[in-house]
Amino acid sequence: MEKTAVISGGASGIGKAAARKLAETGFRICLLDVNQAKLQAVQEEMEAEGYTVLAIPCDMAVYDQVGAAAEKVMQHYGRIDVVFANAGIVGETSSIESMSIDNWSQVLSINLNGTFYLVKAVIPYVKQQGGSIIITSSVSGNRVFSQAGFTAYSTSKAAQATFAKMAALELAQYHVRVNVICPGGVETDFKKSIKPSPDLEEVKVPVTFPEGSKPLDNRSGKPEEVANLVKFLASDESSHITGTEIYIDGAESLLIG
């Protein structure tokens, strides 16, 4: 029986790399993303290589769209085995005092609500045969608290980790595992979603690492390296791992936390 993986934020970065990695192992893929142009491009690229891909434009902050997407996956593929809740943004980085209410709401809506919406929507389908739910959190809010202006982002990421643990315990009886990956710096276009505010320098605590802040190999991670972790958590090789945070950052967070 062919298995199906649903990936949010699947049109770029870690989501795209994970989609390719899972497709290589035989998964049928469903990509969810708000960027329709990129979504279509990834679908066409993967289908040209012989992979089975369904692409659904979806705003993860709108539950009706997320729920409808889950139903469409079931209609198309008949089952959902792996869910990678990966969509997220940083938003505006600013002091708490100057942060706009709209920015706070948008970051929490996409990162935290979007994760909850996706997991809630797929539970009736995943628990039919069991499976794996993987959530992209971050070192931010879990090990790292020194990033000035990242309050909304870090709060959403810490909450995702807590949500995953609650879900892991609740869903264990259905043989559904729920785990969290916590990447550090990764070579993607993610930084383009960061919008620094003018007052950011006022709240920064200056720290310099003469030999760099990335102890392992002195570099950021690659999307493919994170995708390898997703592949492991999606597979039966991780069959007894649930409710767990796994850091993938080359020890960066141990140094700068």
Side-chain angles (χ1 to χ4, degrees), residues 116-130:
F116 166 69
Y117 292 163
L118 182 56
V119 173
K120 175 179 172 59
V122 301
I123 284 175
Y125 311 125
V126 179
K127 74 180 188 181
Q128 291 178 15
Q129 71 284 315

Side-chain angles (χ1 to χ4, degrees), residues 2-255:
E2 286 186 293
K3 293 185 176 182
T4 301
V6 178
I7 301 170
S8 68
S12 61
I14 293 172
K16 178 181 177 181
R20 297 187 65 84
K21 187 67 65 174
L22 293 178
E24 288 170 4
T25 64
F27 277 88
R28 300 174 301 186
I29 303 297
C30 173
L31 302 173
L32 308 179
D33 205 287
V34 73
N35 190 318
Q36 295 189 38
K38 284 188 176 181
L39 192 64
Q40 183 177 353
V42 174
Q43 180 184 24
E44 292 175 353
E45 176 184 314
M46 291 183 66
E47 286 181 338
E49 297 176 35
Y51 300 125
T52 303
V53 181
L54 172 67
I56 304 176
C58 184
D59 184 344
M60 302 308 298
V62 180
Y63 181 71
D64 287 348
Q65 292 189 28
V66 178
E71 290 181 7
K72 188 170 182 179
V73 176
M74 285 300 292
Q75 292 169 1
H76 192 79
Y77 287 138
R79 61 186 287 154
I80 297 175
D81 303 272
V82 170
V83 178
F84 184 26
N86 169 70
I89 63 168
V90 173
E92 180 185 56
T93 54
S94 67
S95 68
I96 298 171
E97 181 180 7
S98 67
M99 184 179 295
S100 71
I101 299 300
D102 286 345
N103 179 70
W104 172 270
S105 297
Q106 182 187 34
V107 173
L108 271 290
S109 292
I110 294 172
N111 296 1
L112 181 57
N113 290 357
T115 296
F116 166 69
Y117 292 163
L118 182 56
V119 173
K120 175 179 172 59
V122 301
I123 284 175
Y125 311 125
V126 179
K127 74 180 188 181
Q128 291 178 15
Q129 71 284 315
S132 176
I133 295 172
I134 305 155
I135 296 171
T136 300
S137 180
S138 174
V139 296
S140 300
N142 291 293
R143 273 186 180 168
V144 174
F145 303 92
S146 55
Q147 295 166 300
F150 275 63
T151 302
Y153 179 75
S154 294
T155 299
S156 72
K157 293 297 161 180
Q160 282 180 312
T162 298
F163 171 72
K165 293 174 184 178
M166 297 294 292
L169 192 57
E170 181 174 321
L171 298 177
Q173 63 181 312
Y174 305 112
H175 305 287
V176 175
R177 297 176 293 109
V178 186
N179 291 291
V180 181
I181 63 171
C182 297
V186 181
E187 296 174 358
T188 69
D189 292 333
F190 188 65
K191 290 183 178 179
K192 292 180 180 179
S193 74
I194 302 176
K195 305 168 186 175
S197 68
D199 74 334
L200 200 55
E201 293 298 323
E202 297 177 17
V203 295
K204 278 187 176 180
V205 178
V207 179
T208 301
F209 299 97
E211 297 181 8
S213 61
K214 297 172 173 57
L216 185 62
D217 300 329
N218 297 308
R219 65 172 177 83
S220 296
K222 300 180 184 300
E224 293 75 20
E225 291 174 316
V226 182
N228 284 332
L229 176 56
V230 174
K231 174 186 172 184
F232 168 69
L233 292 173
S235 75
D236 292 338
E237 293 181 357
S238 59
S239 60
H240 204 56
I241 300 175
T242 193
T244 299
E245 297 147 308
I246 302 179
Y247 293 85
I248 178 165
D249 69 340
E252 177 184 5
S253 61
L254 296 177
L255 178 65

